[in-house]
Amino acid sequence: MLLDPSADDRLDRAFMALADPVRRGIIARLSRGPATVNELAEPFQITKQAVSKHIQVLEQAGLVTRTRDAQRRPVHLAPAQLEALTAWIDRFRLIHEQQFRSLDALLATTSGTDAAPAEAGATADPARKAERS
Amino acid sequence: MLLDPSADDRLDRAFMALADPVRRGIIARLSRGPATVNELAEPFQITKQAVSKHIQVLEQAGLVTRTRDAQRRPVHLAPAQLEALTAWIDRFRLIHEQQFRSLDALLATTSGTDAAPAEAGATADPARKAERS
DNA sequence: CCATTGATCAACTTGTTGGTTGACTAAGAG
DNA sequence: CTCTTAGTCAACCAACAAGTTGATCAATGG
């Protein structure tokens, strides 16, 4: 089960875990501090068992951790995985932004007449020849 | 286009779209510039139809757009939705960080003997009203 | 006109997710 | 010991997601 989850696998679980409004609500609540299953279940119209399953999903995704406190199992936010997600997204967001800028510069130097209406790169794309990575 | 998907719905689709290594690979490829379905399908061992479906998912999530170029339908990255995702994540990441800091400060002022074993917030949690004994 | 290329549509199979109910374990409290 | 609180486990079901094959559409080229 938890032997060696690849980086892809970890991202899969984390993104999937956030692709549900209940689980995002749980994350939002936990950002204010730890909470028990019952407390987390209260805002939603589903059974406690369903919430427990959601928490399991979040835990397997590395987004929360559970501790012990008598009968209670307080759930805590684990921000490290959230950081990993923003890191992944921002990586490609920034690459794209840079590509866009350099393409923009290229168009500015070659065409000279008009700067092309925002729909850049549809056919004349300098990055297209790179393949078979 | 669809008729007014709620913010929750949009986040659902976007996070779900990224919860798949094929689709993340497509995003990674598109960060280098637009590509056709065939180009995007090449690195993967699945049929072109499957890739087409993945692109539909990404498009409905607002992460990519498609244009026309003769028979080709070049796919472009749409970075706005990526920004929305990092915005959502960072919101709660920062709230949590701030909570953690203020709790840390609280512990530093009240307890003078032992600084607690790193698992802060488990027992002394300002957000929980339940107290025992 | 017909053939080719690029991509989508439609139907179907398979596996997984989100939810339920009911039984169960664990820890205190009377 | 019994009762209550907090939570999980197990079995089941409806809905959906990912992939396949086969047919179809759209644009171009001979």
Side-chain angles (χ1 to χ4, degrees):
Chain A
M1 282 194 211
L2 301 176
L3 279 174
D4 177 25
S6 72
D8 259 13
D9 221 358
R10 261 181 285 125
L11 282 175
D12 280 7
R13 290 182 208 273
F15 277 124
M16 179 66 103
L18 293 184
D20 183 297
V22 171
R23 290 193 290 258
R24 284 200 304 279
I26 290 174
I27 292 291
R29 166 65 185 80
L30 291 180
S31 71
R32 268 96 185 167
T36 66
V37 174
N38 275 327
E39 287 168 350
L40 291 172
E42 214 188 323
F44 305 105
Q45 297 296 57
I46 58 179
T47 63
K48 177 174 63 171
Q49 287 95 321
V51 173
S52 196
K53 279 193 190 178
H54 281 304
I55 293 171
Q56 280 184 46
V57 171
L58 289 168
E59 192 180 24
Q60 287 203 329
L63 293 167
V64 307
T65 59
R66 277 190 283 190
T67 55
R68 262 227 161 270
D69 172 26
Q71 312 103 300
R72 295 175 192 78
R73 308 289 313 275
V75 185
H76 308 251
L77 193 65
Q81 197 64 13
L82 289 179
E83 257 185 86
L85 295 188
T86 52
W88 189 92
I89 296 174
D90 284 340
R91 185 149 93 93
F92 297 108
R93 211 155 59 82
L94 296 182
I95 290 174
H96 179 259
E97 199 179 309
Q98 192 185 357
Q99 283 294 120
F100 196 82
R101 256 204 284 274
S102 59
L103 174 64
D104 215 35
L106 181 72
L107 287 180
T109 56
T110 53
S111 82
T113 51
D114 76 78
E119 189 60 65
T123 54
D125 176 15
R128 271 265 290 285
K129 58 196 74 126
E131 59 201 66
R132 231 122 307 174
S133 62
Chain B
M1 298 287 198
L2 303 180
L3 37 101
D4 187 25
S6 74
D8 259 13
D9 220 359
R10 259 181 288 126
L11 283 175
D12 279 7
R13 290 182 207 272
F15 276 123
M16 179 67 103
L18 294 183
D20 184 296
V22 172
R23 289 193 290 258
R24 283 200 305 278
I26 291 174
I27 292 291
R29 166 65 185 80
L30 291 179
S31 71
R32 269 99 185 164
T36 66
V37 174
N38 275 328
E39 289 167 347
L40 291 171
E42 214 188 323
F44 304 105
Q45 297 295 60
I46 57 179
T47 62
K48 179 174 62 170
Q49 287 94 323
V51 173
S52 198
K53 279 192 190 179
H54 281 304
I55 294 171
Q56 279 183 45
V57 171
L58 289 167
E59 192 180 26
Q60 287 201 329
L63 292 167
V64 307
T65 58
R66 278 189 283 190
T67 55
R68 262 226 161 272
D69 172 27
Q71 311 105 299
R72 295 173 192 78
R73 307 289 312 277
V75 185
H76 308 252
L77 193 63
Q81 196 65 12
L82 289 180
E83 256 184 88
L85 295 188
T86 52
W88 189 93
I89 295 174
D90 284 340
R91 185 149 92 92
F92 296 109
R93 210 155 59 83
L94 295 183
I95 289 174
H96 179 259
E97 200 178 310
Q98 193 185 359
Q99 283 293 119
F100 195 81
R101 256 204 286 274
S102 57
L103 173 64
D104 216 34
L106 182 70
L107 287 180
T109 56
T110 54
S111 92
T113 54
D114 59 341
E119 188 59 65
T123 54
D125 175 18
R128 204 169 62 202
K129 49 219 149 227
E131 71 281 316
R132 54 217 122 62
S133 66

